[in-house]
């Protein structure tokens, strides 16, 4: 159980770091603007900007869904598997 916790925590931290970096580059219009990291992304002017904006979106969802998978989905599936084998015996 501890390995699932640390994997979920690691995915959360890696996703948050990526989201902060790419959000700071592409989604922060100015230093004194209230909506930092959550502003709409600008139109990409080249392929590198498009990849950066996409990587920021992937990092955001990794930050949210990574821990959910390791802390909720995998333990629930293991518990369902245990209960299925116990009820079959």
């Amino acid at each position: 159980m501890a390995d699932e916790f640390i994997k979920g925590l690691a995915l959360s931290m890696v996703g948050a770091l990526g989201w902060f970096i790419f959000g700071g580059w592409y989604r922060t219009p100015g230093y004194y603007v209230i909506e930092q990291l959550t502003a709409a992304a600008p139109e990409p002017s080249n392929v590198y900007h498009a990849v950066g904006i996409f990587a920021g979106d992937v990092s955001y969802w990794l930050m949210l869904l990574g821990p959910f998978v390791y802390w909720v989905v995998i333990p629930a599936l293991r518990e369902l598997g245990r209960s299925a084998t116990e009820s079959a015996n």
Side-chain angles (χ1 to χ4, degrees):
M1 191 68 182
D3 58 336
E4 278 93 5
F5 176 76
I6 199 67
K7 287 175 187 175
L9 183 65
L11 284 177
S12 176
M13 294 299 108
V14 168
L17 180 64
W19 183 55
F20 291 152
I21 290 171
F22 290 112
W25 287 343
Y26 295 108
R27 295 185 185 270
T28 302
Y31 184 75
Y32 294 107
V33 178
I34 297 296
E35 50 181 28
Q36 293 184 353
L37 300 175
T38 58
E43 280 296 317
S45 59
N46 57 25
V47 71
Y48 296 113
H49 289 176
V51 169
I53 292 168
F54 179 72
D57 291 339
V58 168
S59 297
Y60 175 77
W61 287 107
L62 180 69
M63 176 183 66
L64 294 179
L65 295 178
F68 180 74
V69 167
Y70 278 101
W71 295 346
V72 176
V73 174
I74 292 175
L77 290 176
R78 286 186 180 169
E79 192 63 32
L80 282 172
R82 282 189 202 127
S83 66
T85 56
E86 288 175 3
S87 65
N89 291 334

